């Protein structure tokens, strides 16, 4: 396996687009107005993230460095998911918990998270399994062993992972193991990439990330985004967002919750587009503000092991 030293700006761009889509459809007011679009985006945005995460996973690093990376994922996850579980027992949200017990708290925290932090939980499990199996059997053999572990963890007996989600991570890891160039894997050099998407997007029965149609949606959507990336000058701000998606993953739920108080101010706009623009900017700015404050106070290094935002 080859470790890439030069940063792939196309991946930063993809991560930016995917995280913005995540924020958009975590805004309940907007998502409820456009359920068809929400179901479509949910088909590809987090699978795309998992694929890129698998591709970027470095299983060649020493165990000490891997444990440092794992700590950087696990400690913030445990803190934020714990807060989310407690708040879910207090606030009237969709995932409201009527009676929070100690057993239920730890079951949600360690095995079956609620809310937006399921992605980080999945990433922790996937990266740990992949690293350990690759150490046991490097290369494709490690990929096969990892897939087997994913299948077991997704079985009804354990039910710790979504097998569909885990396989997107494994797909990315397989591409990296084969030393594949992400820019060449995706069909991103021709406008013909949009043709299959027209047919795939037209039928909501295709909006299942675990189906063949769902896999094709993920593939061709990422290809379409990369095609656009080749055509336009991407602002540095987008690449900055793409490099720091973890801060948004962690802190955006705070601000998506607060954004609902903006809704009455935009009652005159039946499309909710103006609300969307203001709310997305609010959520991303708020997330980075929290991250920067934690960096300045030195808290980031305690819980994340490094600054959330690069100097």
């Amino acid at each position: 396996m080859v470790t890439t030293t030069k940063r792939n700006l196309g991946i930063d761009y993809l991560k930016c687009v995917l995280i913005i889509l995540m924020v958009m459809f975590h805004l309940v007011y907007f998502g409820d107005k456009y359920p068809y679009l929400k179901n479509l985006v949910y088909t590809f945005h987090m699978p795309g993230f998992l694929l890129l995460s698998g591709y970027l996973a470095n299983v060649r690093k020493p165990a000490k460095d891997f444990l440092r990376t794992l700590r950087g994922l696990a400690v913030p996850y445990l803190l934020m998911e714990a807060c989310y579980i407690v708040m879910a027992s207090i606030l009237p949200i969709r995932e409201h918990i009527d009676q929070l017990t100690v057993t239920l708290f730890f079951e949600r925290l360690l095995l079956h998270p609620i809310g937006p932090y399921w992605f980080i939980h999945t990433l922790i499990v996937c990266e740990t399994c992949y690293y350990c199996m690759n150490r046991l059997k490097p290369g494709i053999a490690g990929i096969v062993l990892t897939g087997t572990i994913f299948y077991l963890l997704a079985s009804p007996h354990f039910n710790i992972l979504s097998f569909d989600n885990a396989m997107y991570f494994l797909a990315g890891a397989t591409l990296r193991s084969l030393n594949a160039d992400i820019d060449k894997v995706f069909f991103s050099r021709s406008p013909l990439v949009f043709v299959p998407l027209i047919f795939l997007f037209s039928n909501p029965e295709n909006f299942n990330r675990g189906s063949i149609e769902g896999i094709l949606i993920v593939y061709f959507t990422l290809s379409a985004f990369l095609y656009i990336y080749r055509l336009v000058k991407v602002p540095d701000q987008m690449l900055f967002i793409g490099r720091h998606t973890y801060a948004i993953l962690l802190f955006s739920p705070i601000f998506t919750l607060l954004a609902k108080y903006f809704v009455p101010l935009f009652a005159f706009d039946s499309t909710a587009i103006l609300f969307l623009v203001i709310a997305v900017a609010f959520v991303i700015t708020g997330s980075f503000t929290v991250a920067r404050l934690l960096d300045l106070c030195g808290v980031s290094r305690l819980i994340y092991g490094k600054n959330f935002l690069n100097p």
Side-chain angles (χ1 to χ4, degrees):
M1 184 176 300
V2 177
T3 302
T4 303
T5 56
K6 184 178 179 181
R7 190 170 192 98
N8 188 319
L9 299 182
I11 291 179
D12 288 338
Y13 161 78
L14 284 176
K15 290 170 64 181
C16 172
V17 173
L18 294 173
I19 200 71
I20 289 174
L21 287 170
M22 183 206 78
V23 171
M24 286 172 57
F25 289 96
H26 279 180
L27 296 165
V28 176
Y29 177 64
F30 181 77
D32 286 350
K33 276 189 172 292
Y34 298 94
Y36 189 96
L37 189 58
K38 178 179 179 179
N39 290 335
L40 168 60
V41 169
Y42 271 48
T43 305
F44 68 80
H45 76 319
M46 297 319 282
F49 249 123
L50 285 165
L51 189 150
L52 294 175
S53 297
Y55 184 79
L56 295 172
N58 182 2
V59 291
R60 295 191 65 189
K61 63 176 63 175
K64 181 179 179 181
D65 292 339
F66 173 74
L67 289 175
R68 187 179 295 114
T69 299
L70 191 63
R71 172 188 177 274
L73 291 172
V75 174
Y77 161 76
L78 291 171
L79 289 172
M80 298 304 293
E81 177 66 14
C83 292
Y84 193 91
I85 293 169
V86 173
M87 295 305 294
S89 69
I90 300 171
L91 299 176
I93 61 176
R94 291 184 177 181
E95 296 169 304
H96 179 72
I97 299 175
D98 290 328
Q99 290 185 323
L100 181 61
T101 64
V102 173
T103 301
L104 180 60
F105 175 84
F106 283 104
E107 187 266 336
R108 291 299 189 191
L109 182 65
L110 301 178
L111 300 176
H112 305 121
I114 59 173
Y117 299 116
W118 69 266
F119 174 85
I120 303 176
H121 180 272
T122 295
L123 196 58
I124 291 169
V125 175
C126 287
E127 289 215 13
T128 301
C129 292
Y130 179 40
Y131 184 85
C132 293
M133 293 303 101
N134 189 79
R135 285 287 173 171
L136 185 63
K137 290 286 185 180
I140 295 301
I143 294 287
V144 173
L145 284 174
T146 304
T148 303
I149 298 298
F150 287 169
Y151 180 80
L152 292 174
L153 293 178
S155 67
H157 184 70
F158 292 100
N159 193 29
I160 295 175
L161 277 179
S162 160
F163 186 67
D164 294 341
N165 289 332
M167 294 312 291
Y168 280 103
F169 176 92
L170 196 62
T174 302
L175 292 175
R176 182 66 175 271
S177 181
L178 296 173
N179 200 28
D181 186 340
I182 209 85
D183 295 319
K184 295 179 180 178
V185 168
F186 290 94
F187 180 62
S188 59
R189 296 181 181 273
S190 168
L192 291 176
V193 68
F194 293 96
V195 175
L197 287 178
I198 294 172
F199 294 99
L200 290 166
F201 288 179
S202 65
N203 187 353
E205 292 183 2
N206 296 333
F207 300 168
N208 178 357
R209 66 184 65 177
S211 67
I212 296 297
E213 295 83 0
I215 293 170
L216 290 174
I217 285 176
V218 174
Y219 175 78
F220 284 113
T221 302
L222 294 183
S223 297
F225 287 148
L226 284 174
Y227 176 76
I228 295 171
Y229 173 71
R230 294 177 184 279
L231 290 181
V232 301
K233 170 67 175 175
V234 176
D236 290 341
Q237 292 86 345
M238 288 189 69
L239 299 179
F240 179 85
I241 291 172
R243 290 194 299 270
H244 301 95
T245 53
Y246 192 51
I248 299 174
L249 281 167
L250 281 175
F251 305 123
S252 62
I254 300 169
F255 297 97
T256 53
L257 182 64
L258 293 174
K260 72 177 185 179
Y261 295 106
F262 296 171
V263 173
L265 301 176
F266 298 96
F268 63 90
D269 179 16
S270 61
T271 68
I273 300 300
L274 186 57
F275 163 81
L276 175 70
V277 172
I278 299 299
V280 169
F282 170 72
V283 171
I284 293 176
T285 302
S287 298
F288 282 159
T289 299
V290 171
R292 179 63 74 191
L293 289 174
L294 293 178
D295 290 350
L296 292 174
C297 296
V299 176
S300 300
R301 293 189 174 274
L302 292 176
I303 64 173
Y304 186 42
K306 58 184 178 180
N307 286 344
F308 283 110
L309 304 180
N310 294 335

